[in-house]
Amino acid sequence: MSVKHSLRGRAEVAEYRDTGIPDYNGHPLIEALPDIMEDADVIRKLKNIKKFNPEERLLSPSKRRHCIERLRSFVIPLSHHVELQQDFSEMIRQGYLSRNISTTDYIRRLRSVMLGFKDEEIAVLEKERLFVPAPTSSGLAIIGISGAGKTTGINRILSLYPQIIIHPEYEEKQLVWIKIDCPVTGTVKQLCLGIIKEVGEIFGDMNYELYSGYKTDQLIPVLASMAMRYHLGVLVIDEIQYLSEAKTGGVTLMLNFFNSLINMIGVPVILIGTPKAKSLFSQEFRNTKRVTNQGSIYWDRLKKEGSDWRLFLSQLWKHQWTQHEVVMTEEIDKVMYEESQGIPDLVVKIFIESQKRAIETEEMLTPSLIHSVAQSQFKILQPALDALRSGKKEEMIRFLDIFLSESPREMLTNADRKELNKTFDLDVDRLLDEQQQVDGINEIIVWLMDAGFTEKTAREAAEKHRAEDMALWKALAFQEAISPNVDVLDTVPASSNKKAARKNKKPSGLMAYINKETDRKKNKQTNYATIKAAGYIQDPHEFLQLE
């Protein structure tokens, strides 16, 4: 039984299925989800285009123009679509593992979450005593240029799942997914209010106005209670780039909020944004390494020589309503890419408008006609497209919504370097080297934090010992992190002085603590207790983020 919910996803009454995965057996929230799909099924279900009927070419020009409009919903699944669907399928099921409504796990977890807002210390003690299941949720970031199809892609994937599942046997309502835009203000309060309003409109039992005067710290428990009450499966936040423009610490507060959803409540979170948001995930290491622990998907424009471009254009090209069908040629392929720069949304729009122009003139698509339409009807986009065509970072950086993965060092020619130096007094290579150093430091900080070190220790270690070779840099940084009292460079004496160095060198770092026989005997401590007290052994629960 299936009922279409107006303006949103569909609602269904639960039908429990065998998932084929032992881990999911006995989990009603998982068993009520659609079957786990293979890639071929995903491609078939995500595809959104009516099969072309050549007989429609005999219709009048006015009617054919209406037929062409079908292409605005054209979706051909590409590699990113398949990858995203697999990630989504895994995230939502893993997120529900610790929230089983057929056992007391759910009640204990709900009590633990709500108690945590009132008294965190008591909540922690109760978790250990009552064996409250740890959250199994994760986060995913999708960064892509405007027009690449990331929002359309996630919308199509969400459509594969019902939004609401009713469980009469358990007297529960399951909110499988919810998708909202990040508020332009980039504030946690407005985001919370937006989610509460959306859920209130879906179920009709929450008055949004009652919470408009709440402070942020009052809204978060309300949202947590709501997410647990309705068994929220996945929260999707679009337009995350607005965080980069937020004032008064908006980035840190918002990412802390996402972490609370993932780590405390157990709700998986998907963040979607343009390249403007890319910097957010290198600014806040402590938060983003958990918010994006499922990984990141970079949804760039299609590459000219890539298989996705050939598939996309070949499938689109089959839908010609002009009276004279034109076969795809290298010249047409070239002009379509040149005018669209591989941005899927723009490819479709140029194809639509070119056909309309052709119907009014010679009833045939030609490279010159496509070029003319692109230059005249998409004139406002030409500065951004010219920046992409130039391959110059200083031009592309002005249009962050389309600048994603190009390497500026490879793009800039010697002439470009001379011009920048002459006009702006910029030493491009020096600036790029500095940026590479910053990127290297960021990479090592994240790497060390994943190994369990604090952000402060990781940063100090990464900045103290730099090397051109990343493997050597990591080795030096790691040794610095585990032995903060050792000068790493001095631990490798010159070959002529090795014996003297070993003879005169005093133990430091970890060995210094192990050799403290007197203090250890005095305090009756074991070796293990001594080095743990010194901070060299981390609590496994803390390291593995077990709650």
Side-chain angles (χ1 to χ4, degrees):
M1 178 180 178
S2 177
V3 179
K4 184 72 175 178
H5 194 290
S6 61
L7 302 178
R8 294 188 179 89
R10 64 188 184 278
E12 295 181 351
V13 174
E15 294 181 8
Y16 305 110
R17 307 171 180 86
D18 182 1
T19 65
I21 308 294
D23 298 2
Y24 301 155
N25 292 341
H27 286 261
L29 299 178
I30 300 177
E31 292 177 334
L33 296 175
D35 292 331
I36 298 173
M37 292 181 288
E38 300 301 327
D39 290 351
D41 297 324
V42 173
I43 292 172
R44 178 174 54 83
K45 291 188 176 184
L46 289 183
K47 184 177 180 181
N48 185 36
I49 186 65
K50 183 178 179 181
K51 186 176 181 180
F52 180 71
N53 181 4
E55 293 182 2
E56 291 181 342
R57 292 183 180 136
L58 302 176
L59 297 174
S60 67
S62 295
K63 291 181 178 179
R64 280 184 284 149
R65 289 174 65 93
H66 283 267
C67 293
I68 294 171
E69 286 296 311
R70 291 180 198 147
L71 292 175
R72 296 198 185 275
S73 59
F74 177 85
V75 175
I76 287 294
L78 304 174
S79 56
H80 281 323
H81 293 90
V82 176
E83 178 185 3
L84 178 55
Q85 195 285 140
Q86 291 287 8
D87 285 340
F88 185 89
S89 175
E90 294 163 9
M91 287 179 70
I92 192 168
R93 289 170 173 83
Q94 289 295 313
Y96 277 135
L97 272 180
S98 61
R99 295 183 282 161
N100 193 341
I101 60 174
S102 69
T103 69
T104 58
D105 287 354
Y106 162 64
I107 301 299
R108 285 184 287 131
R109 178 134 191 81
L110 175 60
R111 172 181 166 79
S112 177
V113 169
M114 301 315 297
L115 182 60
F117 288 110
K118 294 181 179 180
D119 193 319
E120 188 174 352
E121 291 185 4
I122 294 179
V124 170
L125 292 174
E126 188 168 287
K127 280 182 186 179
E128 297 176 354
R129 185 173 64 86
L130 298 179
F131 303 102
V132 177
T136 50
S137 53
S138 58
L140 173 70
I142 305 171
I143 304 298
I145 63 172
S146 294
K150 54 190 183 298
T151 298
T152 300
I154 191 66
N155 287 347
R156 292 292 297 168
I157 289 168
L158 292 177
S159 72
L160 301 178
Y161 293 78
Q163 187 173 28
I164 302 168
I165 300 178
I166 310 298
H167 298 261
E169 180 180 344
Y170 300 94
E171 298 183 351
E172 297 284 356
K173 298 176 182 177
Q174 178 182 0
L175 181 58
V176 180
W177 55 264
I178 186 174
K179 177 177 178 289
I180 67 170
D181 288 347
C182 181
V184 178
T185 57
T187 66
V188 175
K189 178 177 180 177
Q190 290 303 316
L191 178 62
C192 289
L193 288 173
I195 297 172
I196 291 172
K197 182 178 182 181
E198 182 74 4
V199 175
E201 291 178 356
I202 290 174
F203 292 106
D205 58 357
M206 293 185 71
N207 188 346
Y208 163 77
E209 298 297 333
L210 293 178
Y211 302 99
S212 59
Y214 277 39
K215 295 180 180 179
T216 302
D217 57 355
Q218 295 173 313
L219 285 172
I220 292 178
V222 172
L223 188 58
S225 174
M226 181 203 71
M228 296 290 288
R229 174 186 175 189
Y230 292 116
H231 312 289
L232 178 58
V234 173
L235 174 63
V236 181
I237 310 291
D238 206 347
E239 307 294 351
I240 198 70
Q241 68 274 5
Y242 289 138
L243 282 180
S244 65
E245 300 165 7
K247 308 298 181 184
T248 63
V251 175
T252 303
L253 292 173
M254 189 71 83
L255 293 177
N256 271 327
F257 169 66
F258 293 147
N259 268 326
S260 296
L261 287 176
I262 295 171
N263 297 329
M264 182 182 293
I265 305 172
V267 176
V269 176
I270 297 178
L271 307 178
I272 306 174
T274 68
K276 286 182 180 178
K278 193 177 179 183
S279 62
L280 301 176
F281 301 103
S282 61
Q283 292 176 14
E284 297 290 332
F285 299 108
R286 185 185 304 278
N287 294 327
T288 56
K289 80 189 188 82
R290 295 188 178 94
V291 171
T292 61
N293 58 356
Q294 181 79 13
S296 301
I297 297 177
Y298 290 93
W299 207 305
D300 204 352
R301 58 193 175 121
L302 303 178
K303 300 302 180 185
K304 178 66 171 66
E305 304 303 326
S307 58
D308 278 350
W309 166 255
R310 293 192 296 271
L311 174 63
F312 186 85
L313 185 59
S314 64
Q315 293 297 313
L316 180 66
W317 197 255
K318 293 178 181 179
H319 301 80
Q320 296 180 46
W321 281 272
T322 53
Q323 291 181 350
H324 302 289
E325 182 181 6
V326 176
V327 178
M328 173 61 64
T329 64
E330 288 188 12
E331 188 178 6
I332 289 176
D333 183 296
K334 181 179 180 181
V335 73
M336 286 295 292
Y337 193 88
E338 181 68 16
E339 298 301 337
S340 68
Q341 287 299 295
I343 300 175
D345 182 60
L346 190 53
V347 176
V348 173
K349 289 177 178 176
I350 289 175
F351 188 54
I352 289 173
E353 298 306 323
S354 296
Q355 287 201 61
K356 291 180 178 180
R357 174 81 64 84
I359 287 175
E360 297 171 355
T361 55
E362 50 199 71
E363 287 283 0
M364 184 172 64
L365 291 168
T366 64
S368 59
L369 182 143
I370 293 171
H371 172 74
S372 175
V373 168
Q375 293 294 317
S376 60
Q377 295 190 231
F378 299 93
K379 189 174 182 179
I380 194 173
L381 298 178
Q382 292 310 309
L385 293 171
D386 285 341
L388 282 176
R389 294 182 188 114
S390 72
K392 296 179 180 178
K393 184 183 179 183
E394 72 277 11
E395 293 292 330
M396 297 168 67
I397 207 70
R398 295 166 51 205
F399 306 96
L400 285 178
D401 283 354
I402 61 172
F403 178 60
L404 187 59
S405 64
E406 287 77 5
S407 170
R409 193 184 295 276
E410 294 176 0
M411 292 189 302
L412 295 175
T413 65
N414 288 332
D416 295 330
R417 287 171 165 80
K418 291 179 180 179
E419 183 64 27
L420 286 170
N421 186 275
K422 178 180 178 181
T423 307
F424 303 105
D425 192 27
L426 290 178
D427 185 341
V428 177
D429 288 318
R430 180 179 60 80
L431 292 175
L432 292 177
D433 287 340
E434 291 177 357
Q435 182 59 49
Q436 186 175 358
Q437 285 285 311
V438 172
D439 292 342
I441 289 175
N442 291 347
E443 179 181 343
I444 290 176
I445 290 174
V446 173
W447 178 69
L448 288 174
M449 289 181 66
D450 283 340
F453 295 100
T454 65
E455 181 180 350
K456 180 181 178 182
T457 298
R459 182 177 294 280
E460 290 176 351
E463 291 179 344
K464 185 170 183 179
H465 302 289
R466 306 187 185 192
E468 292 184 6
D469 181 76
M470 180 56 68
L472 176 60
W473 193 350
K474 284 185 175 181
L476 294 172
F478 184 77
Q479 186 172 348
E480 175 68 24
I482 63 173
S483 304
N485 296 323
V486 177
D487 186 343
V488 178
L489 295 181
D490 290 341
T491 62
V492 186
S495 57
S496 59
N497 296 322
K498 283 184 179 179
K499 293 182 179 179
R502 284 195 295 267
K503 182 177 180 181
N504 298 324
K505 185 173 178 59
K506 294 181 179 180
S508 58
L510 177 59
M511 291 306 300
Y513 286 99
I514 293 177
N515 290 337
K516 286 184 177 180
E517 297 291 340
T518 303
D519 290 341
R520 187 167 66 254
K521 290 178 181 178
K522 180 180 178 181
N523 296 323
K524 298 182 179 180
Q525 286 185 325
T526 63
N527 282 342
Y528 178 86
T530 300
I531 61 178
K532 181 177 181 180
Y536 286 94
I537 297 178
Q538 187 174 9
D539 187 288
H541 287 76
E542 178 185 350
F543 177 72
L544 295 173
Q545 301 172 21
L546 298 176
E547 298 186 35

